[in-house]
Amino acid sequence: MKILFAAFEVAPFAKVGGLADVMGALPKYLQSDDTQMAIFAPLVGCINQKKYDIQEIPNSKLRLKFGWAEYIFTLKMCKLPDTDINVFFIDNPKFYSCFDCVYPSGIDSWYEQERFIAFSKAVLEYARLLNFKPDIIHCNDWHTAMIPVWLKTSYKNDEFFKNSKTVFSIHNLAYQGKYFPEILDFAGINREEVFHQYGLEHYGSLIWMKGAISYSDKIIAVSPKYAQEILTYDMGEGLDWSLRCNQHKLCGILNGIDYKIYNPSTDKQIKYNYSIENPENKEKCKQDILKDFWLEYKKDRPLIAIISRLVEQKGIDLIKFVQNEIRELNADFIVLGTGEKRYEDFFVWLSYNSKNVRARIEYSTDICNRIYAGADMFLMPSRFEPCGLSQLIALKYGTIPIVRATGGLDDTIIGYPEKNADGFKFYNYNASEMLNAINYSIETYKNKQEWKNLITNAMKADFSWIHSAQKYKEIYKSLVQ
């Protein structure tokens, strides 16, 4: 079985969110003697080609026509670290290598559409050029949502792809690729064929995400709870009707994490390694990270961490609403992340106007694991959360999650004081409920035996890719058969 993955970000080469982690880990756990895989991603300028020994493939120049213009692409490749899986990087200086980030801000919306359309078309044509005839094409989010549309329209009589089935993963339904239908002329897709309520049309606009939902052979949401939530009016982001029409294709598979990367007993990013059997060094990790955030270490005073994109989805408004109460808590807070300027400014202001809250407006992989290792609790008050990987990483590091019970957060965390509890939950999107959960965790922290039990349960939780990868294999095989 040949599986082609198409994604706009792949760890460790270029990462913005959980999509990159999934693409960097899932293929590793799908490896077998009867499976051949290829991963396609754009060669954005922030990728360190020398570090990963990324080499250009000879005679890989490809000319593709979009609209009235012709564009030239080249192909480079390397191996996914610690595997024999080929990762192919599609380059075009106008669309990809000219940027030092994956998703540049402030660019023209038409140009943004062009970037994703060109990449998706190039994926299909490079598969043909490499003679990699895929049984499964696994697309991710709206950046590659054009591929299922093309295979059911422009490529439907193409002999090369006649047996290819498409799987479409929804990592976040809120980002849909909405635009004017005129973009179909650039993509070379017949507007009359797809611009209707069972295709890409949505109240007069074009939505690529809807097209992938309509035309893919299987739809995967990244947690079982999220698969249920997106069928509802409240959580369906306007596409609940389309999802209910295609509910027979929809399933939820929880993302996993790679414990070879996220493991406090072997992690080289943290200064002091520890384990369930020998947890003493976790307190040293706390002392270490407090110095980086200019906070004084105080014995028996808990440290609560937030590592997040600073956007509305992540529940930052709840924190703003109870900021005065947070400043009075017997706990310290550290924040790491970037996002909307209003939220960045809020945390900067809070850092200067509180004794117990410090924020760093940046994203640094070097410091992330040190935060997971050093914090006592990890706060995720999300308005919605398709899966969430941060809470899974926090569990492995014995850092107790405080979460709103939505999507993957509800699927993965057992709320205290339930049996085998490994975290704290609140259910309504409400600042007072969040504050109550934080206070409850601080009070429980004082009971050393109870807290030790929580840490043990958390570090024992198993969310490795082994279980999830098996479910993906079953889906692929069912489509091929």
Side-chain angles (χ1 to χ4, degrees):
M1 180 165 56
K2 291 185 176 181
I3 305 169
L4 186 158
F5 292 96
F8 223 73
E9 50 182 292
V10 179
F13 310 104
K15 175 181 173 179
V16 176
L19 167 59
D21 287 316
V22 173
M23 285 298 98
L26 174 60
K28 294 180 183 179
Y29 291 87
L30 292 171
Q31 291 184 98
S32 62
D33 293 338
D34 62 347
T35 302
Q36 187 178 348
M37 287 174 284
I39 304 170
F40 283 83
L43 188 68
V44 290
C46 60
I47 295 175
N48 189 331
Q49 298 185 49
K50 185 176 181 180
K51 178 180 178 180
Y52 298 108
D53 193 26
I54 298 173
Q55 303 289 333
E56 185 169 337
I57 298 175
N59 303 314
S60 67
K61 186 179 290 187
L62 185 67
R63 296 176 182 271
L64 294 177
K65 186 177 180 181
F66 295 96
W68 297 102
E70 188 177 68
Y71 299 85
I72 298 174
F73 300 83
T74 55
L75 193 67
K76 297 184 178 183
M77 71 165 288
C78 70
K79 298 292 184 181
L80 188 67
D82 303 320
T83 75
D84 197 39
I85 299 170
N86 291 327
V87 182
F88 296 99
F89 294 96
I90 295 171
D91 186 28
N92 175 282
K94 177 183 176 181
F95 293 133
Y96 314 122
S97 53
C98 56
F99 296 107
D100 63 355
C101 59
V102 180
Y103 309 113
S105 60
I107 63 173
D108 179 76
S109 296
W110 179 278
Y111 175 57
E112 180 184 50
Q113 292 272 330
E114 288 181 342
R115 294 181 77 224
F116 298 136
I117 291 169
F119 170 70
S120 297
K121 185 68 171 286
V123 167
L124 292 175
E125 290 305 317
Y126 269 121
R128 189 199 306 276
L129 188 66
L130 296 168
N131 198 30
F132 187 87
K133 189 178 291 187
D135 298 295
I136 300 292
I137 302 178
H138 191 147
C139 309
N140 295 271
D141 278 345
W142 83 267
H143 324 125
T144 55
M146 307 84 192
I147 292 176
V149 179
W150 269 314
L151 289 181
K152 289 294 197 297
T153 55
S154 307
Y155 286 78
K156 64 183 176 183
N157 296 319
D158 192 306
E159 187 68 20
F160 189 83
F161 293 104
K162 71 175 184 178
N163 294 320
S164 299
K165 303 294 183 181
T166 52
V167 174
F168 182 68
S169 282
I170 300 175
H171 297 266
N172 193 329
L173 189 64
Y175 301 98
Q176 302 175 352
K178 184 177 181 180
Y179 203 63
F180 302 109
E182 285 76 14
I183 198 65
L184 288 170
D185 297 331
F186 178 84
I189 298 175
N190 186 337
R191 194 182 306 189
E192 292 182 0
E193 191 172 1
V194 299
F195 197 65
H196 50 76
Q197 64 176 330
Y198 297 105
L200 284 82
E201 189 271 337
H202 193 75
Y203 294 99
S205 296
L206 173 147
I207 293 183
W208 289 111
M209 178 80 81
K210 181 176 180 179
I213 291 168
S214 301
Y215 292 111
S216 61
D217 296 298
K218 194 72 178 180
I219 307 163
I220 298 177
V222 290
S223 72
K225 181 72 177 286
Y226 191 57
Q228 297 171 4
E229 290 175 340
I230 59 178
L231 296 172
T232 68
Y233 176 81
D234 289 339
M235 301 287 283
E237 303 290 346
L239 295 182
D240 51 291
W241 180 84
S242 296
L243 284 161
R244 288 195 296 273
C245 287
N246 291 278
Q247 190 173 353
H248 61 288
K249 299 190 294 187
L250 175 65
C251 71
I253 301 177
L254 197 65
N255 284 340
I257 61 171
D258 191 342
Y259 289 133
K260 293 178 182 177
I261 298 173
Y262 300 109
N263 190 330
S265 65
T266 58
D267 191 343
K268 294 180 180 178
Q269 299 281 1
I270 65 178
K271 289 187 177 180
Y272 308 99
N273 294 111
Y274 61 93
S275 62
I276 297 179
E277 295 77 19
N278 299 290
E280 296 79 14
N281 277 348
K282 184 168 175 60
E283 197 70 10
K284 291 183 181 179
C285 291
K286 180 177 176 178
Q287 295 174 36
D288 172 58
I289 200 63
L290 283 169
K291 292 176 185 176
D292 275 26
F293 281 84
W294 316 287
L295 287 167
E296 181 185 353
Y297 171 74
K298 296 178 182 177
K299 187 174 173 61
D300 297 329
R301 181 177 170 92
L303 175 61
I304 302 174
I306 299 170
I307 302 174
S308 176
R309 286 183 296 115
L310 303 181
V311 294
E312 187 267 341
Q313 173 204 336
K314 299 298 183 178
I316 310 300
D317 289 321
L318 299 187
I319 297 170
K320 289 182 70 175
F321 195 81
V322 293
Q323 58 182 282
N324 292 329
E325 289 84 348
I326 283 175
R327 284 187 284 181
E328 298 299 322
L329 289 174
N330 183 32
D332 293 314
F333 288 78
I334 57 175
V335 181
L336 180 73
T338 60
E340 295 179 34
K341 190 174 187 303
R342 56 179 174 145
Y343 295 133
E344 291 182 352
D345 291 346
F346 162 68
F347 280 117
V348 170
W349 179 88
L350 198 57
S351 294
Y352 281 106
N353 291 275
S354 67
K355 295 180 180 179
N356 66 330
V357 182
R358 297 291 182 269
R360 289 175 61 162
I361 306 304
E362 61 178 288
Y363 180 78
S364 170
T365 54
D366 293 336
I367 200 172
C368 280
N369 288 18
R370 291 173 57 212
I371 294 174
Y372 286 120
D376 297 297
M377 297 91 151
F378 194 90
L379 180 60
M380 294 183 71
S382 304
R383 184 173 69 84
F384 67 92
E385 194 64 60
C387 178
L389 297 178
S390 294
Q391 83 279 11
L392 304 183
I393 300 168
L395 287 172
K396 188 63 178 178
Y397 283 76
T399 299
I400 306 305
I402 306 169
V403 305
R404 177 168 176 258
T406 182
L409 299 178
D410 197 23
D411 281 329
T412 55
I413 302 302
I414 303 171
Y416 186 81
E418 292 183 35
K419 185 179 179 181
N420 299 321
D422 52 22
F424 295 84
K425 287 183 180 181
F426 64 100
Y427 288 84
N428 295 308
Y429 191 68
N430 179 285
S432 295
E433 284 197 26
M434 180 194 71
L435 188 61
N436 287 340
I438 293 171
N439 277 317
Y440 192 20
S441 70
I442 293 171
E443 286 301 310
T444 308
Y445 179 80
K446 296 175 183 177
N447 187 325
K448 295 306 177 185
Q449 186 56 50
E450 284 294 285
W451 198 256
K452 184 178 179 181
N453 293 339
L454 278 167
I455 290 176
T456 300
N457 291 339
M459 295 184 76
K460 282 183 176 179
D462 185 1
F463 291 101
S464 70
W465 270 110
I466 295 172
H467 310 296
S468 299
Q470 183 58 40
K471 295 179 181 179
Y472 277 100
K473 285 180 182 178
E474 291 169 2
I475 285 174
Y476 296 155
K477 288 179 180 178
S478 68
L479 290 175
V480 171
Q481 290 171 357

